[in-house]
Structure formats: structure tokens, C-alpha cells
Amino acid sequence: FIGNSTYLDDHGPPPQKVLPFPSQVVYNRVGKCGSRTVVLLLRILSEKHGFNLVTSDIHNKTRLTKNEQMELIKNISTAEQPYLFTRHVHFLNFSRFGGDQPVYINIIRDPVNRFLSNYFFRRFGDWRGEQNHMIRTPSMRQEERYLDINVCILENYPECSNPRLFYIIPYFCGQHPRCREPGEWALERAKLNVNENFLLVGILEELEDVLLLLERFLPHYFKDVLSIYKNPEHRKLGNLTVTVKKTVPSPEAIQILYQRMRYEYEFYYYVKEQFHLLKRKFGLKSHIRKPRPRPEFFIPSPLETEEPMDDEEDDEKWLEDIYKR
């Protein structure tokens, strides 16, 4: 790159490498961003298309020691290919430990909506069973379970303040300790990883388009995913997973949340913009019902996004019949 012009000068950025058939895919799913819906679809698709769906029964350990990273990467890398591995885990750099870097995919969601979904789901569960929240969070005290969301935010309870609110970015930033500190360093590293290691990061608000693009990019894994997703029988399952007793915080509390989550929003809007560029490239129009105000004026509706079905403290029953090899 000394003296003569570089490839970039002459040709612009190199074309993005989209492999026709990657045999190693990792979906390091972000909690409360629709991943339970996607994993249900993957179970059906793995049977239909004959790929190895590798899941984990660890749901509440996203950050790993160096030894744990090495062990997990070794276990994933030796799985029978083609495989799709999924787990709630912050980005893992396989090449750092001498492994082949797999193709990564993920889905994120409006950060305040994700936070609210998690807040009420931990307390009250969903329609699958009135008591399932008691099983998920048995040690939660009654006064904590019924803690008003506004009190939690305005009085700065740990659950409603940083670093707990800095949640999405570490999934893309990685395992470095600084990835958990709200700030520019983690944000920029997360963006870099999205560009270099993720084939697709979609947004839950446009899930059908996410599924369409996954089918386009990874047909061996996702062929027919949209028709399965739209099947009335499958949609019935989704209706059982809407979080119950969900309320919207006051405008004042929302303002405070936005302030605390400004890095999360910068990342969310960056990913959304990249996703829309990708959609336009493949001829998908963005169906926008009305112009969306910027965060400082926007109060999310609790039902604005399709309710996801997962939580980091997932019940084990869900894993009993997951297809494994």
C-alpha cells in the first residue's frame, strides 16, 4: 500500500463476501429480541433441511473467562457440519484461538422496548402459564416483583440504571471487559464486528424481512422459513408468548431511559440503517406506516413489536426435545 494506489482507491470497497453455503453459522441471540421465535423455526428447519442445530442449556452466562471461551469455541468447532450454533453469549472471536471464524447472524430490537419486555417478563411471564414467572424468578421478593416501573427508573434502582441497561452492544462488542462499559469504545468495536463478522443483523420490528433475507443468504438453513412462520399453527404458538401485565412508563421516565441508553440507541439506529441499505439492495421496500419521531419524543407502545419468546433464565422444558446430534 506504499506509493501506488490501493484496491480501495481503484475499485471502492471490496464486495461483501456472501458464501453460497457456509457450513458454520453462529446465532449469538440477544435476550428478548425474538430469538425464541427464531429458535422454534430453526428446530423445524433443521429437521426439514438436515443441518445440525446445536443449542446450549446455559442461558444466563453471556460473559466467559478465556478458558471458557477456548472450551466453547473448541466444542462448537468440532460439531458436525453444516451446523448452526445458538446461545445467549457475547460475540466470540474464533480466530483469536486459532479457529475458523463462522458466519454470525443476529436480531436486535428498539432498546427501550427490549428493556420493558424483559422487565415485565421476569416478573409476570407470559400467557403460556400464569405461574411460569414464579418458576423463572422464584427468589424475587414480592416488593421487587410488584415494583412500579416508574419508581425503578426515577429512583435509580440497579435494574433500571447503567450498567444493566447497557445490554445489546456487548453481544456485538465481545468478551473484552471494556465491552461491558457504556461508552464509545464498546460502541465502535460493536459496529466494527457487525461490519466484519456478521452476515446479517436484522431488527425485530421488521422480522418478516429479516427472515426473507436469511432465506436469501443462507438457503440451506432458512429455505421456506417465511411460509413456516406465517403458518396459522405456528402463529398460534407465538400468541402464547406475549408478556403479560406490561405497562408503559411515564414520559419523564422514558426520557431518563433514553438518556441512559444513548449508546444503545446509536448502535440500534446504525444497525437499522445498514439493514435498510441491505433491503434496498435486494429490492425489499421498508413498509413504514408513518414517520417515526426520534427517541426524545417517542414513547413506545408495549405491543409495538412482536413479542419474543426467550429470556436468559429460560425454562429447561424448552430444551427437552430440541433436535441435537
Side-chain angles (χ1 to χ4, degrees):
F1 296 115
I2 297 170
N4 295 329
S5 64
T6 66
Y7 178 92
L8 290 180
D9 292 331
D10 294 335
H11 303 280
Q16 189 177 7
K17 194 162 96 178
V18 179
L19 299 171
F21 178 30
S23 60
Q24 303 168 83
V25 179
V26 171
Y27 173 29
N28 64 320
R29 51 198 186 116
V30 182
K32 301 311 289 174
C33 288
S35 67
R36 187 82 177 257
T37 302
V38 177
V39 172
L40 274 175
L41 289 167
L42 283 168
R43 289 170 63 191
I44 297 163
L45 291 165
S46 67
E47 294 280 7
K48 188 177 167 73
H49 301 319
F51 63 85
N52 182 11
L53 179 62
V54 185
T55 59
S56 171
D57 54 3
I58 300 168
H59 298 282
N60 55 3
K61 192 171 176 57
T62 53
R63 306 188 288 263
L64 311 176
T65 66
K66 189 175 175 183
N67 282 342
E68 287 169 337
Q69 289 177 59
M70 287 171 70
E71 189 63 27
L72 182 57
I73 286 169
K74 184 179 153 194
N75 289 344
I76 298 170
S77 299
T78 53
E80 184 186 338
Q81 296 183 20
Y83 69 73
L84 189 149
F85 173 80
T86 180
R87 172 177 161 177
H88 291 300
V89 65
H90 295 167
F91 175 78
L92 291 160
N93 189 340
F94 282 58
S95 52
R96 183 182 169 212
F97 298 102
D100 290 334
Q101 191 69 4
V103 162
Y104 270 87
I105 57 172
N106 218 321
I107 299 172
I108 64 171
R109 175 188 193 179
D110 178 280
V112 164
N113 278 341
R114 195 217 69 82
F115 166 73
L116 293 177
S117 183
N118 190 55
Y119 184 89
F120 291 105
F121 184 77
R122 288 186 69 237
R123 285 162 170 76
F124 307 116
D126 54 36
W127 293 110
R128 281 172 296 172
E130 286 186 24
Q131 296 305 311
N132 75 357
H133 59 285
M134 304 299 284
I135 297 160
R136 287 171 187 276
T137 51
S139 59
M140 189 180 275
R141 300 189 310 278
Q142 284 298 89
E143 60 268 30
E144 188 186 351
R145 194 175 299 283
Y146 292 97
L147 175 65
D148 182 272
I149 182 79
N150 291 303
V151 172
C152 184
I153 296 164
L154 297 173
E155 296 188 12
N156 216 9
Y157 278 70
E159 188 178 354
C160 298
S161 57
N162 278 320
R164 296 275 187 90
L165 296 178
F166 194 68
Y167 183 87
I168 298 171
I169 286 174
Y171 275 88
F172 298 87
C173 177
Q175 297 288 336
H176 193 287
R178 285 185 73 184
C179 287
R180 306 195 288 278
E181 297 169 11
E184 291 289 336
W185 189 89
L187 169 66
E188 292 307 318
R189 184 158 164 155
K191 286 181 184 176
L192 188 68
N193 275 335
V194 166
N195 294 337
E196 292 187 351
N197 292 296
F198 283 79
L199 179 67
L200 178 69
V201 184
I203 56 168
L204 184 63
E205 292 84 355
E206 297 169 42
L207 182 58
E208 289 193 7
D209 287 342
V210 179
L211 297 177
L212 266 173
L213 286 176
L214 284 170
E215 185 170 353
R216 182 85 178 248
F217 292 165
L218 298 168
H220 187 82
Y221 300 87
F222 286 97
K223 191 174 186 309
D224 302 324
V225 66
L226 201 57
S227 55
I228 296 166
Y229 174 69
K230 287 180 162 181
N231 182 301
E233 289 302 308
H234 184 80
R235 296 311 288 257
K236 249 189 271 179
L237 280 174
N239 291 338
L240 295 174
T241 61
V242 175
T243 301
V244 299
K245 299 192 183 183
K246 206 168 168 190
T247 58
V248 178
S250 69
E252 184 192 359
I254 289 277
Q255 287 289 342
I256 290 168
L257 275 186
Y258 278 131
Q259 187 59 30
R260 290 175 186 168
M261 299 172 95
R262 64 189 181 278
Y263 294 111
E264 293 275 275
Y265 269 100
E266 193 173 329
F267 182 71
Y268 172 73
Y269 282 113
Y270 176 79
V271 166
K272 190 175 184 178
E273 189 181 358
Q274 299 297 311
F275 181 63
H276 285 169
L277 284 171
L278 206 54
K279 278 172 59 170
R280 283 203 292 279
K281 184 177 169 185
F282 287 93
L284 294 176
K285 290 188 172 65
S286 294
H287 303 290
I288 298 172
R289 291 183 292 275
K290 56 183 178 180
R292 291 281 298 276
R294 295 298 286 177
E296 53 267 33
F297 307 112
F298 167 54
I299 297 175
S301 146
L303 297 177
E304 184 178 327
T305 57
E306 170 137 353
E307 271 308 311
M309 301 199 249
D310 61 83
D311 187 71
E312 289 198 80
E313 299 164 286
D314 219 329
D315 49 38
E316 288 183 19
K317 184 175 182 302
W318 150 247
L319 293 155
E320 277 171 10
D321 58 347
I322 279 188
Y323 171 60
K324 286 181 181 171
R325 285 185 189 166

